[in-house]
């Protein structure tokens, strides 16, 4: 919302006024869209630490207070009282579904859950050790070859077409994820079932087989719902910004989400959940104590990280990590699992939270720290952890892609740079070649 305030910049002896805006939670922004036009200079902001790239009505996040809300609803409330598919509906459509809408949404998710049979053959072409995130991104982009009707991110595309593409993606990505797991363990694919709800259907596709049915335990179902809800959106993070940036070239939804999946894969972002378990395994294998590992991290001066710790925005305990930690205790207890990784993770947290290095830098456990322990308990291998994150984040990506498309300020995203290379120079005599 515009305010009466302005921010004044003095530059090379001249002053310039820039409008000041506030959001509905009173965050303040200085609108510098005319900065270059007025001053000839661009803003330089590595990592976009201070840069807002859009206005958004989807997610509110306060990193100092540890607040996260989707469309106004606190995540704690949603994790306790909703199912993932309802939260997905909320994010994508801006409001909670009523009973009819919930039933319709479930029916649509069922209707679109099958993959085209030809896509099944793609899975056989990947090498045995292919990372499931590579397969997931390629398969999601491939959906655009089977459903080319949404091949362009056209402003005039009817809402109905967008909604069908969104529903298709929500439903099929779950099937793709489960198939990529089955391929990795050499088992036959299990098809989606219309009598099962979203999360139960996914677990069934992952863990049942023609020779063995899978008992869906309510504790596992609840833990999975909570995990997916907590990952469902997180405003303008790296992968969501990738979706928006790629989408800003009017790229279709499938390809834009494919870009988001690739960005999420990175170990500094969603890939951190796999790195946490790698790190705990390394500590166990090295024979070092947890304290020694923490000391190594500190003395490496940024060379070695405590994965699952730290966040660009949260400068307090990540509210999602709190809920996940409690859910982790519950699910391990219910399944009667005693995982030494959990003990090690808790020891690591307790050492780090008392250490000046982590305290002074506001480094707290993030969403990725305990999620892997739950996935392990459910039976999901670590290579699939980031795929699980992507499944959860999908409604957020869809909602953000849709919002950017509908934004009256929609613009191709194209940052500037400060060129620091050589000044103009010509090819020297000795460097010339006439070979073609
Ligand atoms: N372990 C050890 N030191 C850390 C960690 C960590 N996990 N995170 C930050 N630091 C240190 C940095 O070395 C730096 O120290 P310095 O001031 O002495 O140079 C200081 O804390 C500030 O860190 P920055 O790198 O400036 O923080 P930034 O906001 O850029 O990084 C990030 C955030 C990338 C998440 C970082 O904390 C990190 O790498 N964490 C580990 C990976 C991880 O868990 N990622 C998942 C994040 S949640 C998500 O994306 C889903």
């Amino acid at each position: 919302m515009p305010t009466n305030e302005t921010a004044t910049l003095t530059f090379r002896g001249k002053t310039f006024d820039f409008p000041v805006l506030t959001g509905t939670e009173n965050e303040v922004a200085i609108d510098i869209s005319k900065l270059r036009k007025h001053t000839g200079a661009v803003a330089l902001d590595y990592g976009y630490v201070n840069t807002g790239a859009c206005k958004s009505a989807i997610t509110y996040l306060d990193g100092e207070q540890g607040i996260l809300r989707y469309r106004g609803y606190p995540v704690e409330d949603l994790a306790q009282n909703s199912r993932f598919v309802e939260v997905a509906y909320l994010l994508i459509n801006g409001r909670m579904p009523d009973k009819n809408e919930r039933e319709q949404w479930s029916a649509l998710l069922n209707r679109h859950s099958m993959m085209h049979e030809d896509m099944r053959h793609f899975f056989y072409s990947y090498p045995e050790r292919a990372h499931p995130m590579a397969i997931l991104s390629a398969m999601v982009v491939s959906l655009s070859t089977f459903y080319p009707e949404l091949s362009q991110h056209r402003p005039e595309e009817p809402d109905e077409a967008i909604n069908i593409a969104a529903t298709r993606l929500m439903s099929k990505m779950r099937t793709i994820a489960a198939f990529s797991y089955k391929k990795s363990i050499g088992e036959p694919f299990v098809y989606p079932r219309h009598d099962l709800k979203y999360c139960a259907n996914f677990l069934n596709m992952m863990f049942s087989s023609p020779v063995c049915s899978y008992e869906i335990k309510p504790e596992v179902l609840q833990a999975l719902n909570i995990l997916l809800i907590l990952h469902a959106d997180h405003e303008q993070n790296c992968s969501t910004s990738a979706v928006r940036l790629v989408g800003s070239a009017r790229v279709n939804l499938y390809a834009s989400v494919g870009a988001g999946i690739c960005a999420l894969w990175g170990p500094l972002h969603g890939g951190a959940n796999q790195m946490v378990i790698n790190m705990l395994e390394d500590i166990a294998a090295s024979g070092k104590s947890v304290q020694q590992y923490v000391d190594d991290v500190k003395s490496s001066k940024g060379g070695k990280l405590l994965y699952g710790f730290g966040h660009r925005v949260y400068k307090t305990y990540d509210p999602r990590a709190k809920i996940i930690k409690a859910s982790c205790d519950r699910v391990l207890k219910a399944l009667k699992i005693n995982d030494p990784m959990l003990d090690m993770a808790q020891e690591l947290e307790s050492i780090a939270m008392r250490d000046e290095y982590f305290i002074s830098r506001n480094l707290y456990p993030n969403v990725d720290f305990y999620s892997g322990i739950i996935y392990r308990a459910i039976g999901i291998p670590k290579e699939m952890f980031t795929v699980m994150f992507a499944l959860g984040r999908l409604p957020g990506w869809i909602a953000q892609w849709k919002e950017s498309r509908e934004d009256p300020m929609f613009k191709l995203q194209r940052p500037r740079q400060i060129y620091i290379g050589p000044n103009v120079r010509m090819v020297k005599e000795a460097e010339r070649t006439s070979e073609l």
Side-chain angles (χ1 to χ4, degrees):
M1 285 171 281
T3 64
N4 296 328
E5 258 183 296
T6 51
T8 305
L9 172 74
T10 305
F11 180 61
R12 295 184 172 162
K14 288 190 183 158
T15 58
F16 305 91
D17 285 337
F18 295 96
V20 172
L21 318 176
T22 55
T24 44
E25 293 287 343
N26 295 323
E27 321 96 290
V28 186
I30 302 170
D31 178 354
I32 56 154
S33 17
K34 301 259 163 48
L35 179 70
R36 189 165 177 278
K37 194 170 169 195
H38 291 336
T39 66
V42 298
L44 180 64
D45 183 18
Y46 273 102
Y48 307 123
V49 174
N50 308 284
T51 299
C54 61
K55 294 178 199 158
S56 178
I58 301 171
T59 289
Y60 174 64
L61 167 48
D62 180 332
E64 272 75 34
Q65 309 280 336
I67 294 173
L68 177 61
R69 295 181 203 140
Y70 302 154
R71 305 277 189 191
Y73 294 91
V75 279
E76 293 80 1
D77 186 17
L78 294 170
Q80 200 176 342
N81 298 312
S82 306
R83 284 188 307 134
F84 172 62
V85 284
E86 286 143 18
V87 172
Y89 187 99
L90 168 73
L91 285 167
I92 296 170
N93 299 292
R95 58 189 166 75
M96 277 291 186
D98 61 25
K99 191 169 171 291
N100 269 347
E101 287 164 334
R102 204 161 50 218
E103 281 164 12
Q104 261 179 6
W105 175 229
S106 282
L108 277 175
L109 288 173
N110 265 338
R111 187 183 312 155
H112 292 289
S113 60
M114 299 279 276
M115 242 185 326
H116 194 291
E117 274 298 283
D118 288 350
M119 275 191 82
R120 218 165 43 100
H121 302 298
F122 295 177
F123 286 96
Y124 299 114
S125 309
Y126 291 106
E128 206 179 306
R129 299 178 68 81
H131 197 284
M133 282 298 273
I135 300 181
L136 185 71
S137 60
M139 295 298 265
V140 165
V141 177
S142 301
L143 284 173
S144 59
T145 65
F146 288 86
Y147 305 101
E149 58 275 22
L150 191 78
S151 62
Q152 290 289 319
H153 179 197
R154 285 186 293 259
E156 70 278 10
E157 197 80 60
D159 284 351
E160 190 49 26
I162 303 282
N163 291 342
I164 290 178
T167 314
R168 205 178 258 149
L169 189 50
M170 273 290 300
S171 195
K172 290 189 197 316
M173 197 159 119
R174 169 191 54 172
T175 311
I176 293 171
F179 277 28
S180 68
Y181 170 65
K182 285 297 196 190
K183 160 73 175 69
S184 74
I185 56 167
E187 280 192 9
F189 301 131
V190 174
Y191 282 68
R193 273 176 36 189
H194 282 195
D195 59 323
L196 292 177
K197 293 209 159 70
Y198 190 93
C199 287
N201 217 338
F202 174 71
L203 290 168
N204 187 62
M205 282 191 274
M206 288 281 289
F207 300 122
S208 71
S209 77
V211 290
C212 169
S213 63
Y214 172 73
E215 185 202 338
I216 300 166
K217 298 207 169 80
E219 299 85 1
V220 171
L221 211 47
Q222 190 199 27
L224 182 59
N225 256 297
I226 290 177
L227 278 170
L228 295 181
I229 288 172
L230 295 177
H231 286 85
D233 194 50
H234 212 231
E235 52 124 293
Q236 307 311 314
N237 56 84
C238 176
S239 55
T240 302
S241 299
V243 170
R244 279 193 180 247
L245 189 130
V246 170
S248 82
R250 294 211 187 285
V251 171
N252 68 68
L253 177 65
Y254 308 112
S256 304
V257 166
I261 295 170
C262 292
L264 188 74
W265 189 4
L268 295 188
H269 188 19
N273 55 12
Q274 183 179 342
M275 296 301 284
V276 170
I277 299 296
N278 287 349
M279 173 180 77
L280 296 174
E281 285 172 351
D282 284 351
I283 299 174
S286 70
K288 284 187 180 174
S289 67
V290 173
Q291 180 65 58
Q292 277 171 312
Y293 187 84
V294 172
D295 291 341
D296 287 352
V297 168
K298 282 160 51 182
S299 59
S300 77
K301 300 208 177 341
K304 204 169 180 178
L305 293 167
L306 208 56
Y307 283 97
F309 263 74
H311 197 275
R312 171 61 59 77
V313 184
Y314 290 121
K315 298 305 163 204
T316 180
Y317 213 102
D318 183 334
R320 302 166 300 174
K322 257 186 220 161
I323 304 171
I324 290 177
K325 193 178 173 189
S327 167
C328 184
D329 289 340
R330 271 198 310 273
V331 79
L332 263 64
K333 206 166 168 193
L335 299 179
K336 299 189 176 58
I337 291 175
N338 189 3
D339 187 347
M341 290 286 166
L342 176 62
D343 300 336
M344 207 188 288
Q346 279 171 335
E347 189 184 347
L348 198 57
E349 180 189 343
S350 123
I351 291 174
M353 301 290 282
R354 282 182 277 115
D355 192 301
E356 187 47 30
Y357 177 97
F358 296 91
I359 296 170
S360 63
R361 288 169 177 78
N362 294 317
L363 301 171
Y364 294 87
N366 60 45
V367 69
D368 293 317
F369 195 63
Y370 285 106
S371 59
I373 313 272
I374 306 185
Y375 291 137
R376 273 164 64 90
I378 296 178
I380 295 172
K382 63 181 180 181
E383 291 73 22
M384 284 290 290
F385 289 0
T386 319
V387 171
M388 300 305 297
F389 193 149
L391 270 189
R393 182 55 53 87
L394 181 61
W397 287 332
I398 295 172
Q400 301 267 355
W401 182 90
K402 270 187 77 184
E403 184 179 64
S404 88
R405 177 183 168 273
E406 288 153 11
D407 192 335
M409 296 298 286
F410 177 89
K411 232 178 164 40
L412 173 75
Q413 294 191 24
R414 204 294 188 189
R416 292 274 180 164
Q417 62 163 18
I418 305 296
Y419 175 69
I420 55 163
N423 294 114
V424 66
R425 51 184 175 166
M426 310 306 278
V427 179
K428 294 193 191 91
E429 183 71 37
E431 294 167 341
R432 287 187 193 161
T433 173
S434 53
E435 276 175 34
L436 289 178

